[in-house]
Amino acid sequence: MARTMEDQTVEQLGGPSSVLARQRRDHAEMDRYGTLADGEERERVLVEVVQLVFSHAFAEETVLWPVVRRSVADGEDLTSRVEEEHQQINDLVADIERLSPGSPEREEKVERVFALIRQDIRDEEDLLLPRPQGALDAVRLRRLGTAWEAVRRSAPTHPHPIVPRRPPGNALLAVPLSLYDRIRDGLGLGFPSAAAKRVLAGLVGLLVSGAVAAIVRQRR
């Protein structure tokens, strides 16, 4: 039986640039939130972890899970299980973004979402990711790592209920939503108010409309 990723060396995972090594580094970052004290630092790290979780999951669903479904016999069942966890995390974080910091309901949802993140990490490292490791050589794992990293760096960083979990639907919606999220992140609006969200949505709508108009003009 394939061995969990947790106790393997980087070389066994295909080298530092392989998709498996990149996944494990992200997982370690995601798990640091629970070790921090209360206060502004905890809230700042919560925002950072949320941004990482969503870009990481998007890259998995766009680049890696299709390969798993093609490469291993039970890839469909394994990826479906993880996609369900991703959707639960998406829904919980969407609720967290609507609630005031420090409220009991918000804290309860924060605890639940990080318990789910830890469960997702274990399901991926113990059950899912060792399977393609046995089916793909180190060169392929490194190529996947390059593609995965490129998608992760340009992916949405917050929950969006309209985004499908699988390509091509998720890829088609990624550009405008990623633009929205990264403007929001650049302005330091980790969990913005409803009014701020409306302003940002209008700005992104204008930018997307301008980009589409430019493409149409070039094709004439």
Side-chain angles (χ1 to χ4, degrees):
M1 185 175 180
R3 189 168 45 152
T4 177
M5 287 170 50
E6 187 176 27
D7 59 2
Q8 295 187 52
T9 66
V10 171
E11 287 70 28
Q12 288 172 323
L13 295 176
S17 63
S18 83
V19 69
L20 301 180
R22 293 175 192 268
Q23 288 272 115
R24 192 170 67 178
R25 287 197 295 271
D26 271 10
H27 289 166
E29 279 292 299
M30 292 175 194
D31 205 26
R32 67 191 173 109
Y33 176 79
T35 63
L36 295 175
D38 294 338
E40 292 183 3
E41 177 68 8
R42 185 169 180 262
E43 194 67 19
R44 181 186 65 78
V45 173
L46 172 61
V47 171
E48 291 178 358
V49 171
V50 164
Q51 292 168 359
L52 174 58
V53 164
F54 283 96
S55 59
H56 175 100
F58 186 89
E60 288 178 334
E61 293 167 354
T62 305
V63 174
L64 188 51
W65 295 169
V67 174
V68 173
R69 287 191 285 271
R70 292 194 300 268
S71 301
V72 301
D74 53 352
E76 177 65 38
D77 290 339
L78 290 168
T79 56
S80 292
R81 173 174 174 170
V82 169
E83 286 167 345
E84 289 176 8
E85 291 170 348
H86 288 179
Q87 188 60 49
Q88 292 177 55
I89 292 167
N90 186 97
D91 295 343
L92 279 169
V93 174
D95 289 342
I96 290 167
E97 291 191 340
R98 290 193 292 266
L99 296 167
S100 300
S103 71
E105 183 182 3
R106 185 177 188 268
E107 287 302 305
E108 185 268 337
K109 289 181 183 293
V110 168
E111 291 299 321
R112 284 172 58 195
V113 83
F114 276 89
L116 264 173
I117 289 170
R118 286 189 286 272
Q119 179 61 51
D120 184 68
I121 290 170
R122 293 275 50 84
D123 286 343
E124 290 182 10
E125 293 195 3
D126 298 346
L127 302 175
L128 197 159
L129 292 171
R131 302 301 299 279
Q133 182 182 17
L136 304 173
D137 61 24
V139 172
R140 183 73 188 281
L141 291 172
R142 289 193 290 271
R143 288 175 179 167
L144 277 173
T146 300
W148 179 89
E149 184 67 23
V151 170
R152 187 178 76 87
R153 289 183 177 276
S154 60
T157 56
H158 291 274
H160 296 284
I162 63 170
V163 177
R165 299 251 70 95
R166 296 191 176 188
N170 61 351
L172 290 172
L173 289 170
V175 174
L177 293 176
S178 179
L179 181 60
Y180 169 88
D181 285 349
R182 289 170 192 276
I183 290 173
R184 168 181 168 178
D185 296 340
L187 294 173
L189 299 175
F191 299 124
S193 66
K197 284 185 178 181
R198 285 194 295 270
V199 171
L200 284 171
L203 176 59
V204 171
L206 289 172
L207 290 171
V208 172
S209 298
V212 171
I215 292 170
V216 171
R217 285 196 299 271
Q218 287 176 356
R219 290 182 175 177
R220 286 177 179 172

